[in-house]
Amino acid sequence: MSAVAALLVAAPAAQAAADTPLRDLAAARGKAIGTAVTGSKLTGTYGDIAGREFNWLTPGNAMKWASVEPSRGTFDWTEADRIVDFAEAHDQDVRGHTLVWHSQNPDWLANGTWTPAQLRQLMTDHIALEVGRYKGRLAAWDVVNEPFNEDGTFRQTLWYNGLGADYIAQALTAARAADPAAKLYINDYNVEGVNAKSTALYNLVKDLKARGVPIDGVGLQAHLILGQVPATFQQNIQRFADLGLDVAVTELDIRMQTPATDAKLAQQRTEYEAVFKACVAVSRCTGVTVWGFTDSDSWIPDTFPGEGAATPYDANYQPKPAYYGIVTALGGTVTEPPPPTGCSAAYSVQSQWNTGFTGQVTISCAAGSSLSSWRATWTFGAGQRISQAWNATCTQTQAAVSCANASWNGSVPSGGSVTFGFNASWSGSNPAPTVTLG
């Protein structure tokens, strides 16, 4: 005795994920929403999403010193120019990233032997050249990146060891001279909440402002871990704003142990929403940039093995729950898409006796369709009640049943299937319900 119920719902394409693009929702709130991008990928679906959803772009690597001057006096601006050109074609601003940093410096610079005077000249010449090249075309620069240790002391770097703490003021002054209109930032990680490191940054920028050093804002990178978003996030943004500085969340991602599950993705959605709401609540928070919008372009898996799923879109450019958390935080509304066309649920009764039966649901995806997670729902029509389930987590409220994937079987590949089963009671009749995927 068996029956089959197929899913008959077509999914909208990724570009139809929200009625209003994120950039329009953000602009209505007076905020920016940005993403880090790889210039060579700015075509096809990647380019479509980057251009449609965001009003700021940050080069992920293309403007770092090792990228633009790999050999002394030899320059490569191809990737950086591609990003700036794309942004101008799509009415977007660009955040330059980054001018002075301890990492991703060319070997000739990092391994050289320099006097303080030589090192200062190299730094200021580099800033003058790069900022000057894009004068009037970039809205902001991360001038100095990651100057502090976790305890709030200055990081021992080529710049600090060679020039002392005043290298920061020198870099900012050089950047202002090269482009007086660009907003100048100091950017760091693990400074999202109130702690020793963020307090050191607070004291630094307060001192720089008192000395008349050009500084417009601070960047809070926000490379966060699921379940560890600081409770003092908004408070911390506000204290920097109270100094008369702009604040930008510059590199947001929220990573988790993989594989992702429905529960983790739901929590990630809540935490993305919380970060955006904290920015919306503070007038001098200029906006939020996500550090790559798709899991296929995220730095997390290579840097933190076993972790990932950190961005608002999955590797197939489909919006994840986090995307809808951003929409909600920005005041938008959206109907979350059903599973892709070509995926269906088949319900069958495997065996039956006088008071009970064993049921099975098979979730299948045709070629060209896939799922990263699933939930099957149905309503029993004759008082049947589930007593036990396997390969899924099932709940039943009166006649309504909802079964979500287990941690190991959320992924249904193109042309593949997964199956879960359950035991249930019945009395009188046992009609097959219609199953819906969601």
Side-chain angles (χ1 to χ4, degrees), residues 219-222 233 237 247-252 275 279 285 287-290:
L220 314 180
Q221 290 185 15
F233 202 106
I237 294 174
V247 182
V249 180
T250 54
E251 305 183 23
L252 174 64
V275 170
C279 181
C285 183
V288 179
T289 289
V290 294

Side-chain angles (χ1 to χ4, degrees), residues 43-393:
T43 60
T45 302
Y46 182 98
D48 290 344
I49 295 173
R52 182 186 67 250
E53 297 288 339
F54 303 97
N55 54 17
W56 279 66
L57 299 183
T58 299
N61 291 296
M63 290 186 178
K64 293 170 181 174
W65 201 328
S67 297
V68 300
E69 194 181 5
S71 301
R72 190 173 187 182
T74 301
F75 299 93
D76 183 357
W77 303 102
T78 305
E79 183 85 349
D81 286 351
R82 183 181 288 122
I83 293 169
V84 175
D85 291 344
F86 181 95
E88 290 177 342
H90 292 81
D91 192 26
Q92 296 167 309
D93 287 312
V94 178
R95 180 181 200 88
H97 179 80
T98 178
L99 295 169
V100 180
W101 190 25
H102 67 272
S103 184
Q104 288 184 249
N105 289 314
D107 289 342
W108 66 264
L109 174 65
N111 298 329
T113 301
W114 316 105
T115 66
Q118 290 172 326
L119 191 61
R120 184 179 302 108
Q121 193 67 50
L122 285 167
M123 181 183 73
T124 55
D125 285 351
H126 170 70
I127 293 170
L129 178 68
E130 184 159 4
V131 177
R133 178 181 180 84
Y134 297 107
K135 181 180 180 180
R137 301 180 71 190
L138 265 63
W141 281 95
D142 292 327
V143 179
V144 175
N145 201 44
E146 300 174 3
F148 289 107
N149 295 312
E150 297 304 303
D151 64 359
T153 58
F154 282 104
R155 186 190 293 268
Q156 304 294 303
T157 68
L158 171 71
W159 309 110
Y160 180 81
N161 294 337
L163 301 175
D166 209 45
Y167 84 89
I168 297 171
Q170 294 165 12
L172 290 162
T173 300
R176 177 67 86 228
D179 188 350
K183 298 292 186 180
L184 308 181
Y185 281 72
I186 299 174
N187 191 52
D188 215 328
Y189 66 93
N190 287 354
V191 292
E192 295 75 34
V194 177
N195 57 35
K197 191 174 187 179
S198 65
T199 298
L201 177 60
Y202 176 91
N203 290 334
L204 170 66
V205 295
K206 183 178 180 180
D207 175 68
L208 291 171
K209 281 186 65 70
R211 292 164 53 193
V213 176
I215 173 76
D216 297 300
V218 295
L220 314 180
Q221 290 185 15
H223 293 297
L224 303 175
I225 301 171
L226 192 70
Q228 297 183 27
V229 176
T232 53
F233 202 106
Q234 183 177 327
Q235 174 189 343
N236 193 44
I237 294 174
Q238 187 65 61
R239 69 167 175 164
F240 282 104
D242 290 343
L243 290 177
L245 291 168
D246 290 339
V247 182
V249 180
T250 54
E251 305 183 23
L252 174 64
D253 47 34
I254 303 178
R255 67 186 186 266
M256 65 182 70
Q257 291 288 329
T258 53
T261 64
D262 279 353
K264 291 178 185 177
L265 292 172
Q267 182 178 357
Q268 185 187 56
R269 171 182 179 154
T270 299
E271 294 180 359
Y272 262 91
E273 183 175 348
V275 170
F276 273 80
K277 282 184 173 178
C279 181
V280 168
V282 180
S283 61
R284 293 206 67 150
C285 183
T286 61
V288 179
T289 289
V290 294
W291 204 244
F293 61 85
T294 170
D295 290 342
S296 65
D297 196 41
S298 173
W299 68 296
I300 295 295
D302 289 339
T303 306
F304 301 98
E307 299 181 72
T311 76
Y313 283 79
D314 69 19
N316 296 315
Y317 301 119
Q318 295 298 314
K320 293 157 54 181
Y323 172 93
Y324 303 108
I326 297 171
V327 171
T328 302
L330 295 175
T333 58
V334 66
T335 301
E336 300 184 32
T341 302
C343 294
S344 61
Y347 178 103
S348 63
V349 173
Q350 299 297 294
S351 62
Q352 182 172 302
W353 52 99
N354 58 348
T355 58
F357 68 99
T358 297
Q360 179 175 285
V361 176
T362 299
I363 297 170
S364 305
C365 289
S369 298
S370 63
L371 294 169
S372 59
S373 64
W374 49 261
R375 182 179 295 275
T377 60
W378 66 88
T379 301
F380 279 128
Q384 303 99 316
R385 186 152 198 93
I386 291 178
S387 58
Q388 178 188 17
W390 50 93
N391 297 333
T393 300

